[in-house]
Amino acid sequence: MGQTLRGTEILIVEDNPADAWLLRELLSSSRVPTSIQVVTDGEAATDYLFRRGEHASAVRPQIVLLDLNLPKKEGIEVLREIKADATLSSIPVIVLSTSARSEDVQRSLDHRADSYFTKPGNLPEFEAFIERLTQVEFPRLIKPNP
């Protein structure tokens, strides 16, 4: 393989503090060195991505992990704005939701989500999910840094 993902910048958009903490902890301890930022609502996500307000100096993420059910602005709207913007549309967006409804999956894919996953239900499943994310999805979606 030889491909490394040194310094991968990740933006987690998650309003559930426990899920955000778990994602951050598992990603931080994965084999992929990462820089992780967390925002807790849809408006903060678009402010971060468009570098507005308190996020004016935000680093552009290489990947976004996006929950669908968010306060202030739904995840699907955040996804729509990312993919409609010429400077952001190339950022891979992985939707990570509690919903396994086919309508939510299809709507996300219709709005150009790069992947859709249902949140794992327990710690061993979450650990296996992070392993898959870092070993399969990230290398597939992210152009490695030189």
Side-chain angles (χ1 to χ4, degrees), residues 24-39:
R24 179 181 219 129
E25 287 300 307
L26 292 173
L27 284 166
S28 294
S29 63
S30 74
R31 289 181 268 174
V32 176
T34 56
S35 173
I36 301 167
Q37 301 300 318
V38 177
V39 294

Side-chain angles (χ1 to χ4, degrees), residues 72-89:
K72 298 186 181 179
K73 184 184 290 189
E74 287 290 320
I76 201 73
E77 185 60 32
V78 174
L79 175 62
R80 190 177 299 140
E81 289 183 40
I82 292 170
K83 295 303 182 176
D85 184 82
T87 61
L88 300 177
S89 63

Side-chain angles (χ1 to χ4, degrees), residues 14-88:
E14 174 59 66
D15 64 319
N16 180 315
D19 286 350
W21 179 85
L22 188 56
L23 278 167
R24 179 181 219 129
E25 287 300 307
L26 292 173
L27 284 166
S28 294
S29 63
S30 74
R31 289 181 268 174
V32 176
T34 56
S35 173
I36 301 167
Q37 301 300 318
V38 177
V39 294
T40 58
D41 65 66
E43 283 184 8
T46 53
D47 285 349
Y48 186 96
L49 290 161
F50 287 97
R51 298 178 175 151
R52 296 186 292 234
E54 69 180 86
H55 301 290
S57 61
V59 175
R60 180 183 164 142
Q62 290 171 276
I63 197 155
V64 175
L65 300 179
L66 178 66
D67 188 13
L68 283 185
N69 301 311
L70 297 168
K72 298 186 181 179
K73 184 184 290 189
E74 287 290 320
I76 201 73
E77 185 60 32
V78 174
L79 175 62
R80 190 177 299 140
E81 289 183 40
I82 292 170
K83 295 303 182 176
D85 184 82
T87 61
L88 300 177

